[in-house]
Amino acid sequence: MTAIEVHTGPDAQATGNAVDAALRTIDANITKFADRYPADTTQDDRYPLRQGNVGWTTSFWPGMLWLAHELTGDDRYRDEARSHVRSFVERIDRRIDLGTHDLGFLYTLSCVVPWERHGDERARDTALAAADHLLTRFLEPAGIIQAWGDLDDPRQRGRTIIDSLMNTPLLFWATDVSGESRYAAAARRHADQLRERILRPDDTTFHTFYWHPTTGAPLRGETEQGSADDSCWARGQAWGIYGFALNFRYTGEPSFLQAAQRCADYFLAHLPADHVAYWDLVFGDGSGEERDSSAAAIAVNGLLELARGLQAGPAAQQYRAAAGRILRSLVDNYSTAGDPDSDALLRHGVYDKPKGVGVDEGNLWGDYFYLEALTRTARPGWTSPW
Ligand code: GLY
C-alpha cells in the first residue's frame, strides 16, 4: 500500500498547513490582481491579467476571497471580495458577455454570497437580474437552458452541457428570494432533461447534448473538450457528481441523488493510482496524457455533497473516504503549497486539450474548488454557496 492509500484524507495538521499555504498565495494575488481578474489559466505557473470582467471564470477570484474570509474571519478578505460586486453590477447593466449559461457560476459567488452572508441588497438585485437573464435562454419545448451562443446560432441552438447543472442553483435561489416559482420550475425541467439524456445508460456522461429547437426532440450527444463524442470527459463527469447532488439538495428529488451516485461510481472506478483523474476517463496510467487536477477538486466537493445527501450509512462513508483520498493526493502531489513562484493553488489542470488551451496549467476553477474542498474539511458543517 502506498502512503496515499493508508490515509482517508488530510488530517487536521495537513489541512491546516494546506489552508495556510493557499492563503499565502491568495495574499500575493490580492497584491497582484486586487479588483481586477486573473486569466482562466496560468502560463508557466503565472496568471496573466485578464482584460475586463469577461468569460465564465471571473467569479472564482472573489469566490476564493469569500472562502478566505470564512476560513480566517479576517475582514480584509471580506472587503476585497465585496469590492468585486461593482464590476458584476456593471457587467449585467451594460450587458457585457452575458450570452452564456455560466451566469450561475458568475453570479452565485460574486453576488449571492454577499447578499446571503452580508445582506448586500445591490448584490441581491444583481443576482436576480442575472437569473432573469439566464431564464431568457430557456427553450420551449425542449425544456433546457441553451449553453452557449446566440439563441438563433444554428451551431449552438438547442444545445446544453453537463456543466450547466452548476448554474441551476442560481435559479433555485431566485425562487427562494423572490417567491416566484418560474425560476425553480425552469431549473427543475432542465435538470430532468440532463438526467434523462446527458447521463448515459453506462453511467458515463456526454459533455454536450442537442435537442431539436422547434420539436424539442432529443437529438445527439457531442463533445467539445473531451477526447471523443463517446468518451467520458473527466471534468464533465465531476460536474455531474456535484451538479446532480446540488439539484437534489434544492429539490429533494431522489433520482438526482441516484444520478450523482452513478456519476461518482464511474468516476471512482476509473481513477489512476494517485486518485487524480486524467483529463478524459478513457486514459489511465501509462497513457502519457495529462491529468486534470481541477476535475479532481470538483469531484471532492461533489462526493462530499453526495455523502451529505445520503446522510448516513456505508455508501456515504465510502464517498467521504474517496473524497478524502483525492484531496490528500491534491494536497501532497498537486498543490503549489504556497510556492512564491506560482500564482495558482493547484498545478496540472487541463482546460481544453483538443484545442490545446490551458494544458498542464493551473486554472481558476481548480483553485476555487480546491479551496472549497479544504474549507469543507476544515469547517465541518459549513455549507457551500451553490
Ligand atoms: N465549464 C467549462 C469547463 O469546465 O471547462
Side-chain angles (χ1 to χ4, degrees):
M1 262 192 167
T2 68
I4 290 165
E5 283 163 339
V6 169
H7 298 281
T8 55
D11 57 22
Q13 178 78 43
T15 302
N17 291 343
V19 167
D20 288 347
L23 292 173
R24 282 198 297 279
T25 302
I26 287 172
D27 287 347
N29 286 349
I30 288 173
T31 305
K32 180 170 172 182
F33 295 108
D35 61 355
R36 301 176 300 173
Y37 298 95
D40 293 326
T41 71
T42 59
Q43 283 174 15
D44 301 326
D45 279 342
R46 294 287 188 200
Y47 284 111
L49 181 64
R50 188 186 306 241
Q51 295 307 310
N53 185 349
V54 292
W56 71 278
T57 64
T58 48
S59 60
F60 293 119
W61 174 223
M64 281 186 263
L65 295 167
W66 284 121
L67 293 176
H69 179 246
E70 305 238 342
L71 283 160
T72 62
D74 184 338
D75 288 345
R76 187 170 53 97
Y77 295 118
R78 180 202 60 198
D79 295 345
E80 291 289 342
R82 288 189 81 164
S83 75
H84 288 271
V85 171
R86 192 178 341 110
S87 173
F88 282 85
V89 171
E90 183 185 66
R91 186 164 172 172
I92 281 285
D93 286 351
R94 296 182 50 205
R95 301 279 188 270
I96 299 168
D97 198 18
L98 300 183
T100 172
H101 70 121
D102 288 318
L103 295 166
F105 279 119
L106 289 165
Y107 282 87
T108 301
L109 295 181
S110 66
C111 288
V112 173
V113 175
W115 158 248
E116 288 291 328
R117 313 220 170 167
H118 301 280
D120 183 332
E121 292 180 5
R122 189 172 62 143
R124 176 201 59 197
D125 294 347
T126 302
L128 270 175
D132 282 327
H133 207 84
L134 186 54
L135 269 195
T136 66
R137 303 185 69 76
F138 186 76
L139 303 184
E140 293 285 8
I144 57 113
I145 297 163
Q146 182 174 313
W148 297 317
D150 288 344
L151 297 180
D152 53 4
D153 176 347
R155 174 81 183 108
Q156 302 300 345
R157 208 162 46 184
R159 186 185 201 188
T160 197
I161 67 174
I162 183 85
D163 329 14
S164 62
L165 290 166
M166 298 295 295
N167 290 316
T168 51
L170 178 69
L171 297 176
F172 289 118
W173 168 84
T175 283
D176 284 348
V177 85
S178 71
E180 292 185 39
S181 59
R182 60 198 171 99
Y183 303 103
R188 174 60 194 268
R189 277 187 68 199
H190 177 82
D192 281 340
Q193 288 288 59
L194 266 66
R195 183 198 57 227
E196 294 307 307
R197 299 291 170 184
I198 219 158
L199 178 58
R200 297 182 284 219
D202 66 356
D203 301 343
T204 62
T205 47
F206 286 115
H207 179 189
T208 88
F209 197 92
Y210 285 90
W211 278 261
H212 193 283
T214 51
T215 68
L219 296 177
R220 68 183 188 285
E222 201 176 289
T223 200
E224 184 74 24
Q225 287 158 250
S227 168
D229 289 342
D230 62 355
S231 72
C232 188
W233 179 49
R235 193 159 65 255
Q237 194 77 5
W239 290 134
I241 303 169
Y242 202 3
F244 280 122
L246 287 172
N247 280 272
F248 169 75
R249 194 211 291 166
Y250 281 99
T251 62
E253 166 55 48
S255 63
F256 291 142
L257 200 62
Q258 286 153 14
Q261 202 161 355
R262 288 171 57 195
C263 290
D265 291 346
Y266 190 92
F267 187 89
L268 294 173
H270 291 79
L271 292 183
D274 80 348
H275 309 290
V276 172
Y278 288 85
W279 66 274
D280 192 299
L281 298 181
V282 291
F283 302 121
D285 287 335
S287 63
E289 294 289 336
E290 295 81 8
R291 287 181 172 74
D292 179 11
S293 58
S294 73
I298 294 160
V300 172
N301 293 286
L303 291 164
L304 293 175
E305 189 67 36
L306 171 57
R308 181 179 186 267
L310 291 166
Q311 292 181 352
Q317 280 310 326
Q318 281 166 13
Y319 293 126
R320 282 195 190 94
R325 286 192 294 274
I326 298 170
L327 183 57
R328 172 88 193 214
S329 187
L330 289 176
V331 168
D332 289 350
N333 308 316
Y334 293 82
S335 123
T336 57
D339 177 356
D341 292 330
S342 175
D343 296 337
L345 305 188
L346 279 186
R347 291 193 169 93
H348 306 306
V350 169
Y351 187 3
D352 188 335
K353 177 78 189 272
K355 298 188 195 66
V357 178
V359 176
D360 201 25
E361 293 284 355
N363 55 60
L364 280 181
W365 58 94
D367 287 357
Y368 171 82
F369 285 104
Y370 173 64
L371 195 59
E372 185 179 310
L374 289 175
T375 307
R376 283 174 179 268
T377 306
R379 298 272 180 279
W382 177 82
T383 308
S384 86
W386 303 103

